[in-house]
Amino acid sequence: MDQSIFFVNESSPASVQKVYLDQFQKDFMNFLKSRSVEMVSGGHMVISFLAKSDNSPMQLVQDSLKQMVDEGIIQESKLDHFIVPLYPPSEEEVRNRIEMENSFKIKRIEEFEVSWDANIEDGNNELLFDISERAKYVASYSRAIIEPMLASYFGDAIIDDLFGRLSFRVNNCLEKRIGLTKYVVVSLIKKN
């Protein structure tokens, strides 16, 4: 199970990272070519990507699933064959593809970090100071993103337990002031 690849990140084996990078490059190149056909010269486009990082709620979902394997709730072989089809590129990988495709000029590209619980207050400033509520918030939006994939593969029976564990792990991270996700944002201008 130590070789389990749940999702590709900086600690994944180089061979796995290469396969996912190759697919990202192909897909992103096709995306850029399609957009360049649709846009007028001088047109602007902004794209935001989840960026490469080992510090994400997805890593905590993986850790929670591994704990469930250790407790016999999930079969190890089942987890070993589950992979989230997600490749978060680095700023350099995004830049290289844009330059190689050559239809767009990079006006600005920036990598930055956002707190896992950004926008939690939504008008309620009291939530900012309650780590437990912040952890539940992060677990709930993570659940909204990945639950369908997890439920279809592992079954509905583990879902509540899994995301309870995730909330606990997020709580621990937030108490340690760990909990930032990297993003790459790029502003592009269509070349003539």
Side-chain angles (χ1 to χ4, degrees):
M1 185 172 66
D2 293 332
Q3 296 300 316
S4 179
I5 312 274
F6 183 73
F7 74 105
V8 177
N9 59 30
E10 293 173 334
S11 64
S12 299
S15 60
V16 173
Q17 288 187 45
K18 181 172 179 356
V19 169
Y20 274 71
L21 172 60
D22 290 348
Q23 188 64 51
F24 164 76
Q25 291 174 336
K26 178 182 170 190
D27 292 346
F28 190 46
M29 187 72 83
N30 288 335
F31 172 82
L32 292 171
K33 285 179 184 177
S34 297
R35 298 301 75 80
S36 71
V37 170
E38 299 170 347
M39 293 177 65
V40 297
S41 294
H44 292 243
M45 176 172 58
V46 176
I47 308 170
S48 176
F49 296 90
L50 182 64
K52 193 172 285 186
S53 170
D54 276 339
N55 184 22
S56 80
M58 281 298 215
Q59 182 64 49
L60 299 180
V61 171
Q62 178 174 331
D63 294 344
S64 297
L65 286 166
K66 285 181 179 180
Q67 181 184 27
M68 294 173 87
V69 166
D70 292 343
E71 294 173 11
I73 298 168
I74 297 173
Q75 293 177 349
E76 183 175 339
S77 61
K78 195 114 169 128
L79 179 58
D80 286 345
H81 294 99
F82 180 73
I83 299 175
V84 175
L86 170 67
Y87 182 81
S90 67
E91 178 181 334
E92 179 184 342
E93 291 165 347
V94 172
R95 179 186 303 277
N96 288 344
R97 280 299 106 180
I98 293 167
E99 290 172 353
M100 184 174 281
E101 196 277 330
N102 201 31
S103 294
F104 295 93
K105 174 183 176 236
I106 298 173
K107 182 175 180 183
R108 184 172 178 180
I109 187 167
E110 189 173 322
E111 189 173 271
F112 63 96
E113 293 180 318
V114 174
S115 172
W116 291 347
D117 61 351
N119 299 320
I120 187 175
E121 77 282 350
D122 196 27
N124 184 353
N125 291 333
E126 293 173 18
L127 293 177
L128 291 174
F129 304 105
D130 187 333
I131 290 177
S132 176
E133 288 300 315
R134 291 168 50 206
K136 288 177 189 173
Y137 172 80
V138 174
S140 70
Y141 80 67
S142 299
R143 183 174 183 162
I145 294 167
I146 195 167
E147 179 180 4
M149 201 178 324
L150 291 168
S152 70
Y153 189 78
F154 295 105
D156 291 327
I158 70 150
I159 298 299
D160 288 338
D161 184 11
L162 173 64
F163 286 99
R165 292 168 190 257
L166 176 62
S167 182
F168 178 79
R169 288 176 185 277
V170 170
N171 193 87
N172 288 341
C173 288
L174 294 177
E175 283 178 350
K176 295 174 187 173
R177 300 190 183 274
I178 302 170
L180 299 173
T181 300
K182 287 184 185 178
Y183 288 89
V184 174
V185 175
V186 61
S187 174
L188 302 171
I189 300 172
K190 172 76 164 57
K191 293 181 179 180
N192 295 330

